[in-house]
Amino acid sequence: MKLINFLFGVVVTITCVSCSGESDQDHLPSDLVKNPATASDTQGSVKMAHMVFSNTEHDFGTIVQGTSITKFYKFTNEGDADLIISSANGSCGCTIPKWPRTPIKPGQTGEIEVIFNSQGKKGVQTKKVYITANTSPPSNIIVLKGEVIAPE
């Protein structure tokens, strides 16, 4: 009987807490949804940034293991809103991107620096950097590839 009363008390408590009159939606910050493009915007009236790279892939050729390569990927904001890059992540810890932290105005250019450290790498390498921004589409990928050979 004590077990039944205890379980009843737990159920009542959980029910009261979960039915406090607030839904889960009441706790979601409105800035979570940042993409203003919607299915109802058929006229294209929403201003969006658009990131266009002059080149999304670079082949660094053949390098000796332990060498670091730095490549700058230039892009232009061809949209009609400020372009803001929220993150850029390499496909592994050996690939480090650095990106502009300030908005890129429409028509302006910027660049993303990618440093690849070949220490401990061997053979053909293909490293990607995943860029997330307030663009349409919201993600872009740039690639750095080449071959790493052992030192003689």
Side-chain angles (χ1 to χ4, degrees):
M1 186 65 169
K2 287 182 182 182
L3 179 61
I4 292 174
N5 286 339
F6 172 75
L7 291 175
F8 179 76
V10 170
V11 170
V12 168
T13 303
I14 291 173
T15 304
C16 290
V17 170
S18 66
C19 296
S20 62
E22 294 179 5
S23 70
D24 287 343
Q25 287 181 326
D26 294 335
H27 298 291
L28 293 175
S30 61
D31 64 342
L32 271 179
V33 181
K34 294 194 181 273
N35 188 353
T38 65
S40 64
D41 183 26
T42 58
Q43 303 302 315
S45 62
V46 175
K47 291 185 176 188
M48 295 290 294
H50 184 65
M51 182 181 257
V52 177
F53 285 89
S54 56
N55 191 0
T56 58
E57 192 170 298
H58 175 71
D59 187 336
F60 58 79
T62 303
I63 60 171
V64 176
Q65 187 180 49
T67 304
S68 287
I69 297 292
T70 301
K71 170 66 178 159
F72 292 90
Y73 293 84
K74 295 185 186 286
F75 64 88
T76 303
N77 178 3
E78 292 188 2
D80 51 9
D82 287 0
L83 187 154
I84 301 169
I85 300 173
S86 58
S87 68
N89 299 300
S91 55
C92 77
C94 63
T95 307
I96 309 296
K98 296 179 183 176
W99 66 93
R101 307 295 184 172
T102 57
I104 307 296
K105 300 277 185 206
Q108 288 186 334
T109 61
E111 61 185 16
I112 296 177
E113 176 184 7
V114 178
I115 302 168
F116 167 65
N117 182 352
S118 68
Q119 185 66 40
K121 304 295 180 194
K122 189 174 171 185
V124 175
Q125 302 291 311
T126 301
K127 303 302 176 186
K128 296 179 181 180
V129 175
Y130 303 93
I131 303 157
T132 304
N134 65 329
T135 56
S136 178
S139 61
N140 290 278
I141 299 173
I142 52 180
V143 179
L144 187 62
K145 64 181 183 177
E147 184 176 4
V148 178
I149 59 172
E152 294 182 14

